[in-house]
Amino acid sequence: MAKELLAGKKNNQYKIIIGKNSISKKNISSFTKSHKKLLIITDEGVPQKIIQHVVSLSKAKSKVFTVILDQGEKAKSLSNFQKIINFLIDHNFDRSDGIIAVGGGVVGDISGFAASTYLRGISFIQIPTCLLYTSDAADDSLRV
């Protein structure tokens, strides 16, 4: 069973969901249903089964695209940032669309940066795929 925690200050709180089956329709539908298009950003280290699960949950209400980066710290680069921004432009993403980061710290970092800079910011959620990534993502969000 997934455990839910609240993080952030009173006016800017968000949910953190931790658990074996936390990637579920219930848990991500509030994000996916409010966007016409979604870009899932991940890396080669994330199992295809997880990526396909997130894609299938997201397709119900949105058109879904996927960008897969190389695995590791080298993926946090200007060329990958440009690749993501160019993808968003080429597919006419607007401020009503969103980004889902699926994977580790590098994926979350570059996805969050792209989401915050594209059109002065579009919606973004992060789905870390292991406990280490979860603590890294929570640590990053607390420093913002």
Side-chain angles (χ1 to χ4, degrees), residues 36-136:
K36 295 178 290 183
K37 288 184 270 188
L38 293 168
L39 175 60
I40 295 173
I41 302 172
T42 190
D43 71 29
E44 293 173 342
V46 176
Q48 281 296 313
K49 182 179 176 180
I50 293 173
I51 298 166
Q52 289 306 317
H53 185 57
V54 174
V55 168
S56 69
L57 292 172
S58 303
K59 278 186 174 179
K61 301 282 184 180
S62 307
K63 186 168 183 176
V64 179
F65 302 91
T66 305
V67 168
I68 300 176
L69 305 174
D70 290 336
Q71 186 177 7
E73 199 66 29
K74 66 185 178 289
K76 201 184 320 182
S77 67
L78 182 57
S79 64
N80 276 336
F81 172 73
Q82 289 173 322
K83 176 181 177 179
I84 293 165
I85 295 300
N86 288 337
F87 189 95
L88 295 168
I89 292 167
D90 292 345
H91 291 86
N92 299 310
F93 272 64
D94 61 36
R95 295 200 65 208
S96 68
D97 301 319
I99 292 176
I100 300 175
V102 179
V106 170
V107 169
D109 290 348
I110 198 165
S111 300
F113 183 65
S116 68
T117 56
Y118 183 70
L119 299 175
R120 296 178 325 231
I122 63 173
S123 295
F124 166 76
I125 63 168
Q126 190 165 347
I127 302 175
T129 52
C130 77
L131 187 57
L132 174 62
Y133 301 151
T134 303
S135 63
D136 181 45

